[in-house]
Amino acid sequence: MADKRLSLDELIGELRSGMTIGIGGWGSRRKPMAAVRAMLRSDLTDLTVVSYGGPDVGLLCAAGKVRKVIFAFVTLDSIPTDPHFRVARQTGAIEAMEVDEGMFYLGLLAASQRVPFLPTRAGLGSDVLALNPSLRTITSPYDDGEELVAMPALSLDAAVIHVNRADAGGSGQILGPDPFFDDLFLGAAKRRYVTTERLVTTQQFASEGPIQTMCISRLLTDGVIETPGGAHFTACVPDYPRDEAFQKAYVAAAGDADAWTAFRELYLEVDEAGYQTARTARVRGQEEVAR
């Protein structure tokens, strides 16, 4: 079994400006935030980001890395909308393709199955087609003759997801209650990367969780990166919940230029070790105040 371990810098070194990149997780849950932070520090630009979006999309938009976002939603869960994404969308700083959640899923599935589209009723009777004039309908070839939306494949140049555990060969384990879609992001991509809270041996998977938690096949992985706390500030249960206080601070800073500069300098213009040190210091400071 090949050893697929990489560093964050090596992962970013395999990406290129102009790529279409899929980012796993959904909303403010199990996002590969360490990889996103590494993208922020890079010279990558002109990206098309495909995501069930959360702060990954907002941060990349704020940094001017994004040309287009393909999404079903962009939310922080406990906070309805990412503030940086909202500004980028409202000002026209990015191109946006918004589709129904089921359509988004089918787009990833089509790309995973290497077919050009999959038919669906989702989107019919809504403004999805009007707002996305590139979408087409198709007539069923069978006796029903039903008109359906032909959801195009969301083919990706690269995809990155975050899991609770992985081995050096790239098999991945998701221990939380939301093991959705990440295998499709990897299946839809030419290059596939998994960040993980902890690397374990293949034999250790059984002691971490039941067989059903083994969601990611090594056949779908080209590189695996150990990033403890790598989903922060999004949730990565059972390892840690969403950091609600940090998320509120992120949103508050987004609304003030000076506050955002301070936030960016403290948390985003440092390497991953610097980020983890700063956010740990923040937690300790809050605990001292509470005492």
Side-chain angles (χ1 to χ4, degrees), residues 5 30 60 80-81 93 146 160 180 197 199 211 226 265 274:
R5 287 175 290 181
R30 209 168 31 77
L60 290 168
T81 305
E146 184 177 0
V160 57
F180 309 120
E197 289 296 314
L199 279 169
I211 189 65
E226 187 175 39
E265 289 175 350

Side-chain angles (χ1 to χ4, degrees), residues 61 83-95:
C61 286
H84 293 298
F85 169 73
R86 182 178 65 246
V87 170
R89 181 83 188 275
Q90 290 176 342
T91 62
I94 57 167
E95 183 181 348

Side-chain angles (χ1 to χ4, degrees), residues 31-203:
K31 285 289 181 177
M33 296 299 292
V36 171
R37 289 188 285 269
M39 291 181 201
L40 298 177
R41 297 190 298 270
S42 76
D43 60 1
L44 291 171
T45 189
D46 197 39
L47 300 176
T48 295
V49 175
V50 180
S51 179
Y52 284 106
D56 54 327
V57 173
L59 283 165
L60 290 168
C61 286
K65 301 291 187 181
V66 180
R67 178 181 64 84
K68 180 178 181 179
V69 182
I70 302 174
F71 64 102
F73 51 73
V74 179
T75 178
L76 303 179
D77 290 323
S78 57
I79 298 172
T81 305
D82 182 284
H84 293 298
F85 169 73
R86 182 178 65 246
V87 170
R89 181 83 188 275
Q90 290 176 342
T91 62
I94 57 167
E95 183 181 348
M97 180 181 179
E98 181 177 6
V99 295
D100 172 88
E101 292 178 40
M103 295 172 71
F104 190 93
Y105 161 79
L106 289 174
L108 293 175
L109 184 62
S112 298
Q113 295 179 349
R114 301 301 188 264
V115 296
F117 69 90
L118 284 173
T120 179
R121 295 187 180 96
L124 293 173
S126 75
D127 282 340
V128 168
L129 297 179
L131 295 174
N132 295 285
S134 63
L135 292 176
R136 299 288 183 265
T137 59
I138 187 171
T139 302
S140 168
Y142 297 103
D143 291 342
D144 59 277
E146 184 177 0
E147 184 180 40
L148 299 165
V149 175
M151 179 62 200
L154 295 177
S155 300
L156 310 173
D157 294 310
V160 57
I161 70 168
H162 188 79
V163 300
N164 298 94
R165 308 287 181 267
D167 66 11
S171 297
Q173 187 175 36
I174 299 174
L175 300 173
D178 57 350
F180 309 120
F181 314 122
D182 283 356
D183 57 333
L184 295 182
F185 277 99
L186 299 182
K190 296 175 184 175
R191 296 290 294 173
R192 298 81 50 92
Y193 305 97
V194 174
T195 64
T196 183
E197 289 296 314
R198 189 168 82 237
L199 279 169
V200 297
T201 66
T202 305
Q203 293 73 26

